[in-house]
Amino acid sequence: WKPIIICLLALQSAVPNLAQPSHPDFSGHWIEESRPVPPLSQVGFCPRECTILQTPEKLSVKSALGASTIDLVRPTVTTDARFQVAVEQTVAASWQGATLVIMYKFKEKTSVATTVSADVRLTLKDGRLAITGTSIRPGSGDAPFEVIYRRVQ
């Protein structure tokens, strides 16, 4: 048995992708195909149109709202002090099977800190990009949404 185990370990280290699951690639230019359900003014992650570039480590999104990059390996924490109250933003991404889940947490840096969180889930369904999620607002309850996008060549 020992030679077989040694061969299997050698094969696994020689071909590292055998041990890692394959994830869908969301790269492409996407245009909204269905209005959000329930209606929203826009989905901040990808409004009516966006371009996504994905690598194993990062997901970059460009739209009319600007550009953002999400680290797919480790959470990032930033502080935005442009407004009257500084806001700490934590973004963490993880894979749940073929779904990319991105968790956002916004925390006001005040003595009575208010925290708002949201999750965005990206999946491919029949060649279309489905973005679903939930905004969780203190005192207002959950606000789930779903938007479908088609890829433009």
Side-chain angles (χ1 to χ4, degrees):
W1 289 103
K2 193 173 183 178
I4 294 173
I5 292 173
I6 292 172
C7 288
L8 287 174
L9 290 173
L11 179 63
Q12 183 177 3
S13 64
V15 187
N17 287 336
L18 288 178
Q20 298 175 353
S22 177
H23 299 299
D25 186 357
F26 300 110
S27 297
H29 188 81
W30 300 94
I31 294 181
E32 184 181 81
E33 188 172 75
S34 72
R35 295 298 304 147
V37 177
L40 299 171
S41 59
Q42 64 184 356
V43 176
F45 182 83
C46 179
R48 296 174 195 252
E49 185 174 348
C50 69
T51 299
I52 297 174
L53 177 60
Q54 179 181 335
T55 68
E57 296 83 24
K58 301 208 181 288
L59 186 84
S60 299
V61 181
K62 292 181 185 177
S63 72
L65 299 176
S68 64
T69 300
I70 297 161
D71 192 318
L72 300 178
V73 178
R74 65 192 59 80
T76 56
V77 179
T78 57
T79 300
D80 188 344
R82 293 179 291 170
F83 306 102
Q84 290 178 335
V85 176
V87 176
E88 180 181 275
Q89 173 181 309
T90 303
V91 180
S94 63
W95 290 97
Q96 293 180 359
T99 301
L100 177 61
V101 179
I102 304 166
M103 295 295 299
Y104 295 90
K105 187 163 133 185
F106 304 93
K107 181 179 180 184
E108 291 180 354
K109 299 190 87 164
T110 61
S111 59
V112 183
T114 301
T115 301
V116 175
S117 59
D119 69 273
V120 175
R121 297 170 182 272
L122 283 73
T123 55
L124 292 178
K125 295 180 181 178
D126 299 323
R128 290 176 165 44
L129 173 64
I131 298 180
T132 58
T134 305
S135 293
I136 303 164
R137 303 182 195 289
S140 301
D142 297 356
F145 64 87
E146 177 180 62
V147 188
I148 305 296
Y149 298 82
R150 66 180 165 82
R151 191 186 310 255
V152 179
Q153 301 302 340

